[in-house]
């Protein structure tokens, strides 16, 4: 798919989206958890109902998310865009500024991790944040139809799906049912980290998988032209269950 003009992205595409499976490519894994001290959870008594206009550039969108994550880490939550007025204001039309591709893990709710609200994010969650054609089509929706400027592929500490897949691949014992499809999706990450010795190979695999998934989305036919023009950034990140901190792995926009 070629580049899409802003008016076209603002309109609903009647022909449907091209759901192209992301091509998983190899890359190096990082092992620094980037831990920060835990903070007490003290929420703002009267949270604002709106966080202002949604950011329109990749760098501004990422900054908004990371500011929200800092509040989550420190316990200074604002819980923006969660009131009745916000619900009513986005009832007819939405304009999210980010797509979050994350795991189904109950401990990693994107709207809480980034302290956002209704209408702020397209949240896509699968086991181990794996992508397949229908998932890729869901990722494409925001950037292609409404110009959403940011995609974040968010892996997380102690991911059960990746841990089970690591064990299955290492022991060569397939997981039951369609769980094996998750194992096959993360196999490239397993192969990448198997070439190096890690103190925590599962954690290294989680990070590698997030980076590989983001790299694959950057080459997606519908997304690549937007990335090339600078209107879209695809970022890989890692969430610490211990601290609540989101660490950017790669793909952060330079400006």
């Amino acid at each position: 798919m070629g580049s899409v003009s802003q008016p076209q992205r603002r309109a609903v595409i009647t022909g449907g989206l091209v759901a192209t499976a992301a091509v998983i490519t190899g890359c190096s894994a990082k092992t620094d958890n980037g831990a920060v001290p835990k903070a007490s959870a003290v929420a703002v008594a009267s949270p604002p109902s709106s966080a202002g206009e949604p950011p329109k550039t990749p760098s501004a969108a990422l900054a908004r998310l990371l500011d929200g994550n800092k509040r989550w880490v420190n316990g200074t939550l604002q819980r923006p865009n969660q009131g009745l007025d916000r619900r009513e204001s986005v009832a007819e039309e939405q304009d999210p500024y980010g797509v979050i591709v994350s795991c189904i893990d109950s401990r990693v709710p994107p709207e809480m991790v980034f302290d956002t609200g209704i209408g702020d994010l397209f949240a896509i969650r699968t086991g181990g944040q794996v992508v397949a054609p229908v998932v890729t089509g869901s990722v494409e929706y925001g950037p292609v139809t409404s110009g959403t400027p940011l995609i974040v592929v968010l892996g997380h500490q102690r991911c059960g799906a990746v841990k089970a897949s690591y064990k299955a691949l290492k022991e060569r014992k397939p997981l039951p049912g369609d769980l094996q499809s998750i194992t096959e999706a993360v196999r490239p990450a397993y192969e990448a980290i198997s070439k190096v010795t890690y103190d925590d190979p599962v954690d290294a695999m989680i990070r590698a998988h997030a980076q590989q998934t983001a790299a694959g989305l950057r080459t997606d036919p519908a997304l690549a032209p937007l990335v090339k023009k600078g209107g879209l950034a695809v970022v890989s990140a890692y969430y610490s269950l211990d601290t609540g901190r989101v660490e950017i792995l790669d793909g952060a926009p330079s400006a």
Side-chain angles (χ1 to χ4, degrees):
M1 174 182 281
S3 60
V4 181
S5 65
Q6 187 66 19
Q8 288 175 308
R9 296 204 304 267
R10 292 292 175 185
V12 176
I13 294 179
T14 58
L17 295 173
V18 179
T20 305
V23 179
I24 303 297
T25 57
C27 62
S28 60
K30 298 182 180 181
T31 58
D32 181 12
N33 285 332
V36 297
K38 294 182 179 179
S40 59
V42 181
V44 174
S46 299
S49 60
S50 174
E53 291 297 315
K56 301 300 183 183
T57 67
S59 58
L62 183 59
R64 176 79 64 86
L65 285 180
L66 293 181
D67 283 346
N69 180 244
K70 288 179 183 177
R71 297 193 298 271
W72 171 254
V73 171
N74 296 327
T76 54
L77 300 175
Q78 293 181 1
R79 299 189 176 92
N81 295 333
Q82 295 185 20
L84 174 62
D85 56 343
R86 176 64 170 181
R87 188 190 76 192
E88 294 175 343
S89 70
V90 298
E92 293 295 331
E93 186 177 2
Q94 61 176 332
D95 188 19
Y97 61 87
V99 179
I100 310 298
V101 184
S102 62
C103 185
I104 63 171
D105 194 292
S106 63
R107 300 165 293 180
V108 193
E111 290 86 354
M112 295 181 70
V113 167
F114 294 109
D115 192 24
T116 63
I118 300 170
D120 289 331
L121 303 175
F122 288 112
I124 301 167
R125 304 179 68 178
T126 67
Q129 72 276 346
V130 302
V131 296
V134 66
V135 178
T136 306
S138 298
V139 175
E140 291 171 347
Y141 181 82
V144 171
T145 68
S146 58
T148 304
L150 180 68
I151 298 170
V152 176
V153 179
L154 185 64
H156 71 91
Q157 185 181 28
R158 304 188 191 100
C159 178
V162 175
K163 181 179 180 180
S165 295
Y166 175 85
K167 187 174 185 292
L169 291 167
K170 187 177 180 63
E171 298 178 357
R172 299 183 180 181
K173 296 180 179 179
L175 295 178
D178 285 335
L179 287 172
Q180 182 60 23
S181 65
I182 298 177
T183 298
E184 294 305 321
V186 301
R187 183 185 291 273
Y190 174 81
E191 293 173 349
I193 64 101
S194 295
K195 300 173 183 178
V196 183
T197 299
Y198 292 94
D199 292 336
D200 188 341
V202 173
D203 195 73
M205 184 172 166
I206 292 166
R207 293 166 178 266
H209 173 55
Q211 289 179 291
Q212 290 177 352
T213 302
L217 290 172
R218 291 185 203 112
T219 66
D220 175 76
L223 300 175
L226 305 177
V227 173
K228 186 176 181 180
K229 286 186 174 182
L232 173 68
V234 183
V235 176
S236 66
Y238 174 93
Y239 176 72
S240 169
L241 294 175
D242 290 337
T243 68
R245 179 175 179 263
V246 171
E247 170 193 353
I248 301 302
L249 300 179
D250 68 3
S254 57

